[in-house]
Amino acid sequence: MGQVVQEAEPVFSGAHEGLCLCTSRLLFPLWELPVFVARGTSDVTSESGVVTCRLSVGALQVIENKIRSLEKFLRSRRNQRRGLYGCVAGLGDVTGSILYGTGSDLGNGDRSMVRNLFGAYSRNVESSAGATSNKRQRLPYSPAELAAMEVRAMECIRQLLLRSGEALFLLQLLSQHHVARLVQGFDANLLQALVQLTFHQLVCSEEGDRIATMLISALMEYYTGPDGRGTVDDISGRLREGCPSYFKESDYKFFLAVECLERAAVTSDLVEKENIAREAFNFLSKVPESADLRTVCKRFEDLRFYEAVVRLPLQKAQALDPAGDAFNDQIDEAIREHAIAQREKCYEIITSALRSLRGESLQMEFGSPVRPAAMRTSA
């Protein structure tokens, strides 16, 4: 009777296995840990409860330093083109083309290098397989495909480490500004979601992104509000350096505009007020799709800067529906209805401002004749 041939499985290099082990040891204690906790009460909405970060700033910094050191090591290997991961990922494309030797931007030297690496990889795989079975197995993957899988996996781990380091930096920054103070304006549902948020969700999920955005907005409001403690540049520089994936350039421009609107609201000189409002409008015009128009346009309306009240919603409508699906009756009805709904939300801001103006004009129209008559009567 012949020996049963086991199904062949990919065998990755020791570097890959070691990286996985080291990464898991760093992230496992945090991965499913809720990052925030309500201290003093089991009810997060209770006034006696205080929302804080579960780990201290010192502990977060220690973990961040270790994670960033590992990511920095991988990045240096890639930049110096050392090892399989460094040589392949350092070419700037881990989507598959260079891994199979078909990339158009590969020089002859690079092609030879990659083939040599894959050849060595193939010999390692075959030797490890031969040690466990005398039968010649039909491998489900070619050596190049196995190498491609390993390089992609290692690059994904590097990206995970980078994102995790940024999340830890953000948690430290929030803790330094007292989380309880930042979340005072959150409703009960958002507070509940906050204390249930795990580190895994903060790093990898859309819900984590949404909550992080809300927390950053609260932090920026702390700096840009009427009793603000600084300027946008004071805090945005730290955010862009420490956690750029959570604080993008569009966020920076939006908060610069908010800061301008705060300044315009307390400026008495009409010319300067209009200039500052226009500066805010110029910032928002660069990122219309990311602006909370209902809030922002109300501020422009209070400043009597109606150019922004009209143009920003129109710009956002165009950004949300660049293909003009709302006007195309040849496409799927659901897609068209969605595009129409998005545009209507933007247009509603303009019509609301017009109704507000109409109400003011009617009040002035019917109120102005009364005042002189009353004055004449009293006289």
Side-chain angles (χ1 to χ4, degrees), residues 148 167 213 371:
T213 299
R371 292 193 186 92

Side-chain angles (χ1 to χ4, degrees), residues 253-254 257 280-288 291 296 300 312 315:
K253 286 184 169 57
F254 173 76
F281 169 61
N282 291 335
F283 281 128
L284 292 171
S285 294
K286 298 174 183 177
V287 288
V296 168
F300 279 115
L312 283 176
Q315 290 174 359

Side-chain angles (χ1 to χ4, degrees), residues 114-359:
V114 173
R115 279 198 298 271
N116 290 337
L117 283 168
F118 289 170
Y121 194 93
S122 175
R123 289 190 294 273
N124 291 338
V125 171
E126 290 172 357
S127 63
S128 62
T132 58
S133 173
N134 294 325
K135 295 286 185 178
R136 183 176 181 84
Q137 300 183 25
R138 182 180 179 183
L139 296 176
Y141 306 103
S142 70
E145 288 173 326
L146 287 171
M149 290 168 60
E150 175 164 325
V151 172
R152 288 195 194 101
M154 293 179 76
E155 177 61 17
C156 286
I157 292 173
R158 189 190 71 80
Q159 294 287 344
L160 174 63
L161 291 168
L162 181 61
R163 175 77 168 179
S164 298
E166 292 184 12
L168 290 166
F169 176 88
L170 177 60
L171 291 175
Q172 292 174 66
L173 194 59
L174 294 171
S175 295
Q176 291 167 358
H177 290 82
H178 303 293
V179 177
R181 179 171 54 199
L182 298 177
V183 302
Q184 285 178 348
F186 287 12
D187 60 30
N189 292 332
L190 188 54
L191 284 173
Q192 193 64 41
L194 182 68
V195 297
Q196 293 175 352
L197 182 73
T198 64
F199 187 76
H200 167 215
Q201 292 172 322
L202 179 62
V203 172
C204 299
S205 72
E206 291 184 5
E207 177 69 4
D209 250 356
R210 184 181 74 88
I211 293 178
T213 299
M214 298 288 290
L215 289 168
I216 290 175
S217 296
L219 179 61
M220 298 303 294
E221 186 176 343
Y222 173 78
Y223 275 81
T224 61
D227 56 344
R229 279 74 174 174
T231 65
V232 168
D233 286 330
D234 292 337
I235 189 65
S236 63
R238 297 179 64 186
L239 286 167
R240 287 193 291 173
E241 181 181 357
C243 51
S245 67
Y246 288 99
F247 188 76
K248 303 174 181 62
E249 188 66 21
S250 59
D251 299 322
Y252 175 59
K253 286 184 169 57
F254 173 76
F255 288 115
L256 281 176
V258 172
E259 183 181 44
C260 289
L261 290 173
E262 292 287 351
R263 285 166 41 212
V266 297
T267 300
S268 57
D269 184 86
L270 295 180
V271 175
E272 185 180 358
K273 183 188 291 285
E274 181 177 353
N275 290 336
I276 298 174
R278 183 168 297 281
E279 185 180 356
F281 169 61
N282 291 335
F283 281 128
L284 292 171
S285 294
K286 298 174 183 177
V287 288
E289 70 284 352
S290 64
D292 178 11
L293 288 189
R294 192 165 295 279
T295 302
V296 168
C297 286
K298 184 65 176 68
R299 294 196 180 193
F300 279 115
E301 190 177 343
D302 293 339
L303 294 171
R304 294 292 193 264
F305 194 80
Y306 289 103
E307 179 183 352
V309 177
V310 174
R311 291 181 60 184
L312 283 176
L314 294 178
Q315 290 174 359
K316 183 164 187 176
Q318 181 61 31
L320 294 176
D321 182 27
D325 292 338
F327 311 109
N328 186 357
D329 56 3
Q330 304 297 320
I331 62 174
D332 182 81
E333 188 63 24
I335 297 176
R336 184 166 181 262
E337 289 295 331
H338 178 67
I340 291 174
Q342 286 186 311
R343 283 183 173 269
E344 284 180 345
K345 286 181 181 179
C346 298
Y347 299 154
E348 174 60 27
I349 296 172
I350 302 175
T351 56
S352 177
L354 290 174
R355 283 194 295 268
S356 177
L357 275 176
R358 177 63 176 167

Side-chain angles (χ1 to χ4, degrees), residues 72-93:
K72 184 178 179 181
F73 168 75
L74 285 174
R75 186 156 27 95
S76 68
R77 298 279 292 186
R78 183 193 64 186
N79 294 341
Q80 297 171 12
R81 296 191 180 184
R82 298 180 63 185
L84 174 66
Y85 166 74
C87 288
V88 178
L91 296 175
D93 181 5

Side-chain angles (χ1 to χ4, degrees), residues 3-16:
Q3 183 178 358
V4 177
V5 179
Q6 297 180 350
E7 183 179 354
E9 296 181 355
V11 178
F12 294 120
S13 69
H16 174 273

Side-chain angles (χ1 to χ4, degrees), residues 61-77:
Q61 187 172 15
V62 169
I63 302 172
E64 182 203 356
N65 290 340
K66 291 182 178 180
I67 288 175
R68 287 195 185 271
S69 294
L70 183 55
E71 189 277 329
K72 184 178 179 181
F73 168 75
L74 285 174
R75 186 156 27 95
S76 68
R77 298 279 292 186

